[in-house]
Amino acid sequence: SGDPVGLLVLRFVGSQDIAATCRAALDWLSTGGRRFVFCVDDDRGRGPKGPFASLERLVSSHVEGIRLGRYGRDSVQECADLIMACCNATALRCVYAKLTGLGARLEPRA
């Protein structure tokens, strides 16, 4: 399919728990220092300190779902940047996320 082997294994296993087992596994499930994730989850219930994955640490082209929450991104612009970067995502879930003005930030620029 042209996808990296690490991504195919992650898809087969269905969890990122394998990446936490050892440094070699983490290196294998990433490319160029950026991790493969299928869902960016800002709604983990861990409070305002996160941890939340920064966009620079993700391979955004393989993200399939986005979950925005109250304590996730710092601004509506960061939420819009995340949504635009993860252009292949097919699911978006927002729980208590403040998204006033999101539509204007997602509109194509002329």
Side-chain angles (χ1 to χ4, degrees), residues 11-60:
R11 194 174 298 282
F12 176 73
V13 173
S15 172
Q16 289 216 4
D17 295 338
I18 192 171
T21 58
C22 69
R23 179 72 182 161
L26 178 60
D27 291 342
W28 199 54
L29 296 173
S30 60
T31 181
R34 300 172 78 188
R35 287 183 68 177
F36 296 118
V37 295
F38 296 126
C39 181
V40 177
D41 191 355
D42 285 357
D43 183 38
R44 298 198 72 143
R46 294 186 181 173
K49 296 194 186 274
F52 306 109
S54 66
L55 190 54
E56 296 79 27
R57 295 180 54 209
L58 307 174
V59 180
S60 59

